[in-house]
Amino acid sequence: MLAAGASAPWPWQARVCVAIVGVGLLGNALLAAREWSCSVRWGDRVSTRGGATVVAYDRVPAYAAAWGAGWTSLVASLGTALGVAAGSVGPALVLGLPFVVLFGLVLVDSVLALSRGAEVVADRERLTVRSWSTETSLAWDDVERVGPDVAGGRAVLAVTGYTAATSWTGRRLPHVWPRGARLVPGRVEVDSRAVEPHSPWLLSVLQDWAGDPARRSEIGTADAERRLRQSA
């Protein structure tokens, strides 16, 4: 695509758009390689903050989403503008504007998600998970079960509360894409892949903290960090 954009016997407008697509696809490939790289996947994202133990979500997939939406938005916008400038106003707007809106909304949502971040925060009273689109929380005393599960086709660590639990809170985070994020009352989910390589150790400590109130004294300490870093 880059070679075609640089040397193909096409109008310069088409060559520019094709070159942008080439750069975008190359960036996609580099980000995919980085996400699957062991050196990155084993990067440490465990910390202690204000008496809480925090495990940050891997940001590479979110960067990839923002990058992909960014270059596709640029190509759609440029193609539409060039079509209008060439005098094909109707076809350019009909064919281009829907893609500008579609990719633009995804881009805005991706930037919003990156700006606020995603993480698992455990303090001695409750567990809070802010994913890219939702924030849920549950008090330790209301946890009935902690275990691996599958939700929406992805592996998760599911923290489930008692049926009568009243401490659960959940909300959809600000977004512009017209879709409803999945919320299950009484349930807190951690995306297993997003917290790798700490996922098995996080599952272990969550089970300990939910099952034994005495073990919660290690939350927010170096011992908790050490347990979560066993694989790093």
Side-chain angles (χ1 to χ4, degrees), residues 123-127 137-146 158-169 184-188 206-207 209-213 216:
D123 61 32
R124 298 186 183 184
E125 299 297 326
R126 60 197 302 116
L127 173 70
S137 180
L138 182 67
W140 291 116
D141 289 340
D142 284 339
V143 175
E144 180 180 22
R145 177 183 177 275
V146 179
V159 181
T160 308
Y162 292 103
T163 303
T166 58
S167 66
W168 180 86
T169 62
V184 179
R187 180 176 165 107
V188 175
L206 291 181
Q207 289 173 332
W209 295 341
D212 184 359
R216 297 172 203 163

Side-chain angles (χ1 to χ4, degrees), residues 11 13 25 44 60 66 70 82 84 115 121 136 153 164 184 204 216 227:
Q13 297 94 330
L25 293 175
D44 180 51
V60 174
L82 291 173
V84 171
S115 67
V121 181
T136 52
V184 179
S204 176
R216 297 172 203 163
R227 291 187 65 189

Side-chain angles (χ1 to χ4, degrees), residues 70-95:
W71 71 259
T72 50
S73 297
L74 178 59
V75 170
S77 300
L78 186 58
T80 302
L82 291 173
V84 171
S88 302
V89 178
L93 293 178
V94 170
L95 296 176

